[in-house]
Amino acid sequence: MLSTRPLLLIATGIVAVAAIASGASAGVWARHHPARTEIAGRAHFQQYRITEDRRNGTLTADQAHALRGEVHGIHQDARADALANGGHLTGDEARSLNGQLNATSSDIPH
Protein backbone atom coordinates (compact mmCIF):
# COMPACT_ATOMS: atom_id res chain seq x y z
CA MET A 1 0.00 0.00 0.00
CA LEU A 2 1.26 3.45 -0.93
CA SER A 3 1.76 5.87 1.94
CA THR A 4 0.42 9.41 1.57
CA ARG A 5 2.92 10.82 4.08
CA PRO A 6 5.71 11.54 1.52
CA LEU A 7 3.22 13.22 -0.80
CA LEU A 8 1.89 15.33 2.05
CA LEU A 9 5.43 16.41 3.01
CA ILE A 10 6.23 17.34 -0.59
CA ALA A 11 3.01 19.33 -0.97
CA THR A 12 3.64 21.15 2.31
CA GLY A 13 7.18 21.97 1.20
CA ILE A 14 5.98 23.36 -2.13
CA VAL A 15 3.40 25.55 -0.42
CA ALA A 16 5.98 26.82 2.09
CA VAL A 17 8.52 27.64 -0.63
CA ALA A 18 5.87 29.45 -2.67
CA ALA A 19 4.80 31.50 0.36
CA ILE A 20 8.39 32.44 1.20
CA ALA A 21 9.19 33.31 -2.39
CA SER A 22 6.17 35.55 -2.83
CA GLY A 23 6.84 37.39 0.44
CA ALA A 24 10.58 37.65 -0.08
CA SER A 25 10.36 38.91 -3.63
CA ALA A 26 8.46 42.01 -2.53
CA GLY A 27 11.12 42.84 0.06
CA VAL A 28 13.99 42.23 -2.35
CA TRP A 29 12.33 44.33 -5.03
CA ALA A 30 11.86 47.22 -2.63
CA ARG A 31 15.41 47.06 -1.30
CA HIS A 32 16.95 46.84 -4.77
CA HIS A 33 14.70 49.25 -6.62
CA PRO A 34 16.73 50.90 -9.43
CA ALA A 35 16.27 54.48 -8.20
CA ARG A 36 17.23 53.55 -4.63
CA THR A 37 20.26 51.64 -5.88
CA GLU A 38 21.36 54.60 -7.98
CA ILE A 39 20.98 57.13 -5.14
CA ALA A 40 22.74 54.88 -2.63
CA GLY A 41 25.59 54.19 -5.04
CA ARG A 42 26.09 57.86 -5.82
CA ALA A 43 26.01 58.77 -2.11
CA HIS A 44 28.56 56.05 -1.34
CA PHE A 45 30.85 57.22 -4.15
CA GLN A 46 30.62 60.83 -2.97
CA GLN A 47 31.59 59.75 0.54
CA TYR A 48 34.59 57.98 -1.00
CA ARG A 49 35.56 61.11 -2.98
CA ILE A 50 35.32 63.23 0.18
CA THR A 51 37.57 60.81 2.05
CA GLU A 52 40.13 60.79 -0.77
CA ASP A 53 40.15 64.59 -1.03
CA ARG A 54 40.58 64.86 2.74
CA ARG A 55 43.56 62.47 2.58
CA ASN A 56 45.06 64.46 -0.31
CA GLY A 57 44.68 67.69 1.64
CA THR A 58 42.28 69.19 -0.92
CA LEU A 59 39.61 69.48 1.77
CA THR A 60 39.98 70.63 5.35
CA ALA A 61 38.56 68.51 8.15
CA ASP A 62 35.68 70.97 8.60
CA GLN A 63 34.86 70.96 4.88
CA ALA A 64 34.94 67.17 4.73
CA HIS A 65 32.74 66.91 7.81
CA ALA A 66 30.17 69.32 6.34
CA LEU A 67 30.11 67.54 2.97
CA ARG A 68 29.75 64.14 4.61
CA GLY A 69 26.80 65.49 6.57
CA GLU A 70 25.14 66.76 3.39
CA VAL A 71 25.59 63.43 1.59
CA HIS A 72 24.39 61.51 4.64
CA GLY A 73 21.31 63.72 4.86
CA ILE A 74 20.47 63.10 1.20
CA HIS A 75 20.85 59.35 1.71
CA GLN A 76 18.60 59.50 4.80
CA ASP A 77 16.01 61.48 2.81
CA ALA A 78 16.06 58.75 0.16
CA ARG A 79 15.49 56.09 2.80
CA ALA A 80 12.62 58.04 4.36
CA ASP A 81 10.99 58.67 0.97
CA ALA A 82 11.28 55.01 0.05
CA LEU A 83 9.83 53.94 3.39
CA ALA A 84 6.85 56.20 2.80
CA ASN A 85 6.30 54.69 -0.68
CA GLY A 86 6.46 51.00 0.02
CA GLY A 87 10.18 50.64 -0.63
CA HIS A 88 10.64 52.62 -3.81
CA LEU A 89 11.21 56.21 -4.91
CA THR A 90 8.85 58.06 -7.19
CA GLY A 91 10.26 59.69 -10.30
CA ASP A 92 9.97 63.16 -8.78
CA GLU A 93 11.73 62.05 -5.60
CA ALA A 94 14.55 60.42 -7.55
CA ARG A 95 15.01 63.57 -9.68
CA SER A 96 15.06 65.76 -6.59
CA LEU A 97 17.58 63.55 -4.79
CA ASN A 98 19.79 63.35 -7.87
CA GLY A 99 19.69 67.13 -8.12
CA GLN A 100 20.81 67.42 -4.51
CA LEU A 101 23.62 64.92 -5.15
CA ASN A 102 24.64 66.91 -8.25
CA ALA A 103 24.90 70.08 -6.16
CA THR A 104 26.93 68.31 -3.48
CA SER A 105 29.16 66.71 -6.12
CA SER A 106 30.09 70.12 -7.49
CA ASP A 107 31.27 71.12 -3.98
CA ILE A 108 33.70 68.19 -3.85
CA PRO A 109 37.02 69.00 -5.57
CA HIS A 110 37.86 66.86 -8.59
Side-chain angles (χ1 to χ4, degrees):
M1 178 168 187
L2 207 54
S3 174
T4 58
R5 183 175 166 95
L7 294 176
L8 180 61
L9 289 174
I10 291 171
T12 304
I14 290 171
V15 170
V17 168
I20 291 170
S22 66
S25 65
V28 170
W29 176 84
R31 185 179 313 141
H32 298 294
H33 189 267
R36 286 191 68 190
T37 302
E38 177 191 4
I39 299 296
R42 288 192 66 200
H44 178 74
F45 184 66
Q46 285 188 8
Q47 295 285 13
Y48 169 78
R49 285 178 50 210
I50 293 166
T51 300
E52 288 300 305
D53 286 339
R54 176 65 187 118
R55 285 184 185 153
N56 296 339
T58 315
L59 289 173
T60 66
D62 289 340
Q63 290 170 323
H65 182 73
L67 287 168
R68 282 189 190 106
E70 287 180 35
V71 174
H72 180 72
I74 295 167
H75 191 229
Q76 291 299 88
D77 289 345
R79 289 177 54 131
D81 290 344
L83 184 62
N85 292 315
H88 70 278
L89 297 171
T90 65
D92 288 340
E93 290 168 341
R95 278 186 288 282
S96 172
L97 292 164
N98 271 311
Q100 292 174 41
L101 286 170
N102 290 344
T104 304
S105 180
S106 67
D107 293 338
I108 303 170
H110 292 273

